[in-house]
């Protein structure tokens, strides 16, 4: 769907209300659900809320872990919490600084977990979410990701070129 359901919205809801919110979103045509361990109790609530819907939705999850071991532990915990055996999209979450990129893409980095998890069928496409142009560009130059999640603000894009180089490189990379 063109509009995604933000898992963060579930973090402060009771389970019954989370179930109702997810069901209503689905009934209104939303089939893209995004969540992350960084969103408090959102995964714990989204898992049961998606009961009976998992094969009808596109489920995206993220990790802030930059090392392979931490990323693997978080991936497995997220799969368990969300009551699924795979993610339709898995992302490195909230990349900001070049040193994070070097760790994530280097030896023992999170990229090792992403590649292995794809071989195992636990993740399908994978990508990243970045909150700085510099972080996005470093990742895109270091690895050819399937997806890029990046905030584009109309005013900043035209006034200070925020995100413009990241968008141009994404287009170039297809």
């Amino acid at each position: 769907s063109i509009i995604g359901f933000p898992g963060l919205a579930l973090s402060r809801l009771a389970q019954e209300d989370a179930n109702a919110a997810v069901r209503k979103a689905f009934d209104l045509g939303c089939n893209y659900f995004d969540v992350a361990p960084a969103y408090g109790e959102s995964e714990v609530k989204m898992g049961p809320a998606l009961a009976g819907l998992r094969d009808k939705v596109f489920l995206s999850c993220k990790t802030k872990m930059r090392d392979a071991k931490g990323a693997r532990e978080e991936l497995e915990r997220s799969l368990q919490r969300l009551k699924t055996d795979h993610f339709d999209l898995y992302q490195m979450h909230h990349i900001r600084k070049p040193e994070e990129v070097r760790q994530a893409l280097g030896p023992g980095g999170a990229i090792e977990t992403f590649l292995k998890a794809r071989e195992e069928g636990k993740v399908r496409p994978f990508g990243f979410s970045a909150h700085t142009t510099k972080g996005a560009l470093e990742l895109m130059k270091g690895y050819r990701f399937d997806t890029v999640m990046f905030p584009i603000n109309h005013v900043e894009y035209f006034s200070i070129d925020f995100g413009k180089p990241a968008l141009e490189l994404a287009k170039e990379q297809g």
Side-chain angles (χ1 to χ4, degrees):
S1 53
I2 193 167
I3 295 178
F5 186 93
L8 180 60
L10 302 178
S11 63
R12 296 190 178 162
L13 295 180
Q15 186 64 56
E16 183 177 301
D17 295 329
N19 295 350
V22 166
R23 179 55 70 171
K24 183 172 183 176
F26 179 79
D27 289 345
L28 290 171
C30 181
N31 65 3
Y32 178 91
F33 289 80
D34 177 83
V35 70
Y39 300 162
E41 293 294 307
S42 296
E43 290 180 316
V44 173
K45 293 176 182 168
M46 189 178 280
L50 287 173
L53 299 176
R54 178 61 187 99
D55 61 341
K56 300 172 186 162
V57 301
F58 187 96
L59 183 57
S60 173
C61 194
K62 308 178 190 95
T63 181
K64 280 184 152 183
M65 298 294 114
R66 306 300 184 231
D67 64 296
K69 183 178 184 293
R72 173 56 78 167
E73 289 169 1
E74 203 158 70
L75 169 68
E76 296 298 338
R77 187 175 62 239
S78 293
L79 288 166
Q80 181 183 26
R81 287 177 171 176
L82 288 153
K83 304 182 183 316
T84 188
D85 64 351
H86 74 280
F87 291 116
D88 300 300
L89 173 63
Y90 199 63
Q91 299 175 86
M92 289 184 200
H93 190 198
H94 199 260
I95 295 284
R96 300 184 71 224
K97 301 175 183 173
E99 49 271 19
E100 291 177 88
V101 174
R102 284 191 292 277
Q103 181 184 12
L105 298 183
I111 193 71
E112 292 177 6
T113 292
F114 280 57
L115 292 167
K116 181 90 169 137
R118 180 160 44 195
E119 285 176 20
E120 299 165 349
K122 292 183 178 186
V123 302
R124 293 186 176 160
F126 60 82
F128 67 87
S129 70
H131 294 263
T132 65
T133 301
K134 186 179 278 188
L137 292 173
E138 288 289 322
L139 271 170
M140 293 167 75
K141 290 175 183 173
Y143 186 83
R144 187 79 175 257
F145 288 88
D146 300 309
T147 68
V148 175
M149 181 181 278
F150 190 84
I152 299 292
N153 173 303
H154 183 76
V155 173
E156 291 178 341
Y157 180 85
F158 288 104
S159 65
I160 61 172
D161 285 342
F162 180 78
K164 192 178 279 187
L167 191 58
E168 289 169 352
L169 184 53
K171 184 177 180 180
E172 181 182 310
Q173 291 183 344

